[in-house]
Amino acid sequence: MGTVTNGIKGAFRIGQTLSVLGRTGVNWVRGDRPPTPRLLRQTFESLGATYIKLGQFIASSPTFFPKDYVEEFQYCLDKTPNLPFGVIKKIIRDELGQPLDQVYAEIDPVALASASIAQVHAARLVTGEDVVIKVQKPGVENILLTDLNFLYLSARILETLAPKLSWTSLSGIVEEIQRTMMEECDFIKEANNLKVFRNFLHDSHNEDAAVPQVYEHCSTRRILTMERFHGVPLTDLESIRGYARDPERTLITAMNTWFASLTQCEFFHADVHAGNLMVLRDGRVGFIDFGIVGRIKPDTWQAVSDFISAVMVGNFEGMADAMIRIGITHKKVQVEELAGDLRRLYQQMDKMVPDQVPYEADQAEDDVNHILMDMVKIGESHGLHFPREFALLLKQFLYFDRYVHILAPEMDVFMDERLNMLH
Ligand SMILES: Nc1ncnc2c1ncn2[C@@H]1O[C@H](COP(=O)(O)OP(=O)(O)OP(=O)(O)O)[C@@H](O)[C@H]1O
């Protein structure tokens, strides 16, 4: 029976998708030219969860997609509306298998946040602890599966029909997205990530950073109950000053913790954007949202740390050599030529360090992505292809660079002795 219902729902969802494509005037489906980046982004926004995530994936994968699309998808908005509180309560009750008031003393009916996959509500446990409940929206997993199978099929057809299509190995990309997105739908995995990171903080005697405690008796695949953090996002400088006397110190703690996790934790947090890094009332740095994590092989990490060491001393040959060890290539790369190109990029970057105050966050994000894409492009022009884990890592590195500009404009990342990137 389950499969029949899924089949019907699946067919319905595909029909829905096609009708949105029709409504948004998507002649590009039939045409022989690819859609403009903007049209594609708008279409994705109206198609909901899967496509929004796909859009965000494009935005963070300059190694896979053309630059114009990567840039346009930086603006892919998660405009998913809030679900009524009644629906949320029912999901929680069904997942718990018992009346709400046996677990929670109260739940705030107004959501703290709502995005395509989950909605977050503040609550209090009967035992008195302040918590948040992250509730997975109904049917999300089904929609993702159907959409992704549909995309996978389309990709396979496109590949067969147009073998020369410049976006090579589309179905491989869809598979990769499917893997990471299905993981995001499993809150047990996320709960486990939170626990592992908490243990890492404990084992490394790190008392300046924090990660929410998971309440297992009220967490399942679809709901996650965890300690509530009271704080502000790391980039909100005005409010941070109210909590932390020295925002620079806070930033250094966040970075040191993240860098330590690269070697001392089994994964790294691969999505530490402003909203996922909080400065707490007691001055500690809170890491939240462990839906996306990355794992890096020891060899690759060794090469990355050699790359960072080379960047610190401005050794372009060293950078080039490390890049070659990180990338995947089938041909011989000329170290000196790659080093020369990196030197030119580095000189441009130096010029880009913002003089104007205040530094606009949007502008900074653009810069960060430009550098990332330029580096990757330089590597690729020399025949190197980078693993996605590396793109995640580099993007994170550049995010931190941006926070430094905002929070500690005087700081020199490569010279500051308080920073310990190579644990
Ligand atoms: N432990 C917590 N304490 C306080 N607020 C939290 C906590 N966890 C989540 N939030 C709030 O809920 C928002 C969304 O949570 P989270 O990032 O985990 O969900 P998400 O659906 O994965 O979001 P995104 O799509 O932005 O990655 C956070 O930005 C934060 O404002």
Side-chain angles (χ1 to χ4, degrees):
M1 179 62 201
T3 31
V4 175
T5 331
N6 284 350
I8 294 169
K9 277 192 185 156
F12 182 69
R13 173 66 192 157
I14 291 172
Q16 226 179 16
T17 307
L18 292 175
S19 111
V20 171
L21 291 179
R23 247 182 301 133
T24 32
V26 188
N27 296 320
W28 54 264
V29 176
R30 273 172 275 129
D32 54 358
R33 249 188 267 157
T36 61
R38 168 152 309 173
L39 183 55
L40 191 65
R41 170 176 61 84
Q42 287 164 347
T43 311
F44 277 19
E45 282 173 359
S46 24
L47 281 169
T50 316
Y51 294 83
I52 290 168
K53 286 284 162 186
L54 185 64
Q56 289 167 351
F57 180 86
I58 293 176
S60 67
S61 308
T63 45
F64 283 154
F65 299 97
K67 189 170 169 179
D68 289 355
Y69 290 83
V70 173
E71 284 186 349
E72 181 65 35
F73 277 92
Q74 301 300 324
Y75 306 103
C76 189
L77 294 177
D78 204 338
K79 290 187 295 197
T80 327
N82 279 18
L83 277 182
F85 186 51
V87 178
I88 293 291
K89 271 204 299 202
K90 180 167 180 336
I91 301 172
I92 304 176
R93 200 166 37 232
D94 289 350
E95 286 297 309
L96 291 177
Q98 56 181 320
L100 293 181
D101 58 10
Q102 295 199 351
V103 178
Y104 304 102
E106 58 179 311
I107 305 177
D108 189 344
V110 182
L112 270 181
S114 178
S116 51
I117 291 187
Q119 182 158 320
V120 179
H121 285 261
R124 196 156 43 80
L125 295 181
V126 282
T127 39
E129 293 90 346
D130 247 350
V131 295
V132 298
I133 320 171
K134 186 166 165 175
V135 183
Q136 194 174 120
K137 295 190 170 172
V140 161
E141 216 168 348
N142 249 332
I143 291 180
L144 287 182
L145 265 179
T146 316
D147 281 352
L148 285 164
N149 285 333
F150 175 65
L151 277 177
Y152 181 69
L153 198 73
S154 321
R156 286 308 296 264
I157 293 170
L158 276 177
E159 269 175 356
T160 324
L161 293 184
K164 282 200 294 247
L165 208 73
S166 62
W167 296 8
T168 44
S169 175
L170 275 175
S171 46
I173 296 171
V174 175
E175 265 168 30
E176 160 91 26
I177 296 171
Q178 184 150 25
R179 199 178 51 76
T180 47
M181 277 177 31
M182 295 317 281
E183 241 172 65
E184 256 194 279
C185 282
D186 183 352
F187 289 172
I188 294 176
K189 285 220 169 87
E190 183 166 344
N192 195 48
N193 290 343
L194 287 162
K195 278 185 273 177
V196 171
F197 205 81
R198 212 176 149 79
N199 284 342
F200 148 70
L201 291 182
H202 177 263
D203 293 346
S204 53
H205 310 288
N206 187 335
E207 281 162 12
D208 303 320
V211 74
Q213 181 184 345
V214 175
Y215 292 93
E216 281 177 65
H217 69 285
C218 39
S219 295
T220 66
R221 215 180 134 79
R222 294 199 178 78
I223 62 171
L224 175 56
T225 304
M226 62 186 143
E227 174 185 354
R228 179 175 185 188
F229 276 168
H230 294 278
V232 289
L234 190 70
T235 47
D236 186 353
L237 193 53
E238 281 307 301
S239 321
I240 291 173
R241 290 229 162 91
Y243 291 172
R245 251 166 282 123
D246 183 1
E248 207 172 289
R249 181 75 242 158
T250 312
L251 177 64
I252 288 172
T253 306
M255 289 171 74
N256 281 343
T257 304
W258 187 84
F259 280 109
S261 76
L262 289 175
T263 49
Q264 292 162 34
C265 188
E266 60 189 69
F267 58 74
F268 62 92
H269 190 307
D271 194 22
V272 188
H273 59 70
N276 289 341
L277 212 45
M278 294 170 82
V279 181
L280 309 185
R281 279 181 191 160
D282 60 9
R284 288 182 304 165
V285 184
F287 285 76
I288 59 168
D289 191 4
F290 282 74
I292 306 177
V293 298
R295 290 180 169 79
I296 186 162
K297 288 196 225 83
D299 279 1
T300 313
W301 172 240
Q302 184 57 49
V304 172
S305 71
D306 290 349
F307 181 75
I308 296 172
S309 307
V311 171
M312 283 177 177
V313 292
N315 169 3
F316 297 97
E317 277 75 21
M319 283 185 225
D321 176 69
M323 262 176 111
I324 294 168
R325 283 188 286 136
I326 298 163
I328 303 159
T329 180
H330 300 297
K331 54 182 205 190
K332 180 111 189 70
V333 181
Q334 296 301 327
V335 181
E336 299 78 34
E337 285 170 24
L338 179 55
D341 284 351
L342 286 171
R343 176 178 287 115
R344 275 184 286 284
L345 176 68
Y346 200 80
Q347 283 158 354
Q348 275 171 20
M349 253 166 79
D350 252 4
K351 266 188 261 144
M352 228 164 53
V353 172
D355 296 326
Q356 73 274 44
V357 179
Y359 190 40
E360 294 290 330
D362 288 354
Q363 170 66 30
E365 191 140 342
D366 273 0
D367 288 351
V368 158
N369 282 302
H370 273 121
I371 303 166
L372 173 62
M373 282 185 276
D374 287 345
M375 280 188 148
V376 166
K377 222 166 57 191
I378 289 178
E380 280 180 346
S381 71
H382 288 265
L384 287 170
H385 182 73
F386 297 101
R388 179 167 153 71
E389 303 287 289
F390 178 66
L392 286 177
L393 201 70
L394 200 55
K395 176 149 181 152
Q396 201 54 61
F397 197 68
L398 295 167
Y399 262 141
F400 281 131
D401 187 52
R402 167 181 160 207
Y403 300 152
V404 170
H405 286 316
I406 297 171
L407 289 178
E410 308 282 297
M411 188 165 104
D412 182 338
V413 179
F414 296 119
M415 301 306 283
D416 200 299
E417 286 178 352
R418 291 168 300 176
L419 253 186
N420 184 9
M421 290 192 232
L422 306 174
H423 285 261

